[in-house]
Amino acid sequence: MAQRGLGGKSLKFSERELIIDENLSPSLVTKLQEAGYNVKMLNKGTLDPEIIKYAKDNNAIVVTNNIKDFKNQGITTMEVKASLATRESVDTVVNKINNVNGIEKEYPNYFSPEANIPLTDY
C-alpha cells in the first residue's frame, strides 16, 4: 500500500505526475511516457505560480532546468542541469529519472515530499 500524504495523495514517486518545464525538450515528454510515467507539459507561457499551484493541487513533481523559481515552494522538484537539457540528452534524463524511481522503490520515503532532486547526482 502506497504511503499517503496530506489530502490522501500518494507520496510514492511512480504514482505522481511529472510536469516538464517548457524549457526542456518536448521529446522528453514522449520518452518518459514511453517509459510508463504520467507526464504533462503545461502550455508555453504558463506562469510559475500557476505551475506551483498545479503541482501542489495534484501532488505533481516539477522537472525543470530553472530550479530557482520552484525551490522551497512546498513541491517536489527534479533539477535538470543545462548540460542535460539538450535534445541529445533526453535519454540521459530518462535514465536518471528511472534511477530516482528505482531508489524510491528500494527505499520508500527516501525523498521528502518537498525534495529538490538534482538529477546530475543519479
Side-chain angles (χ1 to χ4, degrees), residues 51-92:
I51 296 170
I52 292 164
K53 180 178 179 351
Y54 182 92
K56 284 181 179 179
D57 291 349
N58 295 283
N59 197 31
I61 300 169
V62 176
V63 181
T64 182
N65 63 351
N66 190 10
I67 198 67
K68 67 182 172 68
D69 295 335
F70 300 102
K71 198 172 184 180
N72 302 319
Q73 295 293 324
I75 60 174
T76 305
T77 56
M78 298 183 98
E79 182 178 7
V80 178
K81 294 289 187 190
S83 61
L84 293 177
T86 62
R87 220 175 254 284
E88 297 78 35
S89 300
V90 168
D91 288 336
T92 301

Side-chain angles (χ1 to χ4, degrees), residues 2-3 8-9 15 24 26 35 39 45 53 63 66 81 92 94 103 110:
Q3 181 179 355
K9 295 177 181 171
E15 294 177 1
L24 299 176
V39 185
K53 180 178 179 351
V63 181
N66 190 10
K81 294 289 187 190
T92 301
V94 172
I103 290 169
Y110 184 82

Side-chain angles (χ1 to χ4, degrees), residues 94-111:
V94 172
N95 287 338
K96 289 180 174 288
I97 290 174
N98 284 334
N99 291 343
V100 170
N101 190 26
I103 290 169
E104 193 272 340
K105 282 181 179 176
E106 190 170 344
Y107 303 101
N109 309 316
Y110 184 82
F111 300 105

Side-chain angles (χ1 to χ4, degrees), residues 20-50:
I20 307 303
D21 193 328
E22 66 181 21
N23 297 328
L24 299 176
S25 172
S27 63
L28 180 58
V29 172
T30 304
K31 290 281 190 174
L32 286 168
Q33 287 171 332
E34 289 171 357
Y37 294 98
N38 179 12
V39 185
K40 181 174 194 158
M41 183 175 260
L42 299 177
N43 294 332
K44 198 163 190 74
T46 302
L47 300 176
D48 292 343
E50 294 174 79

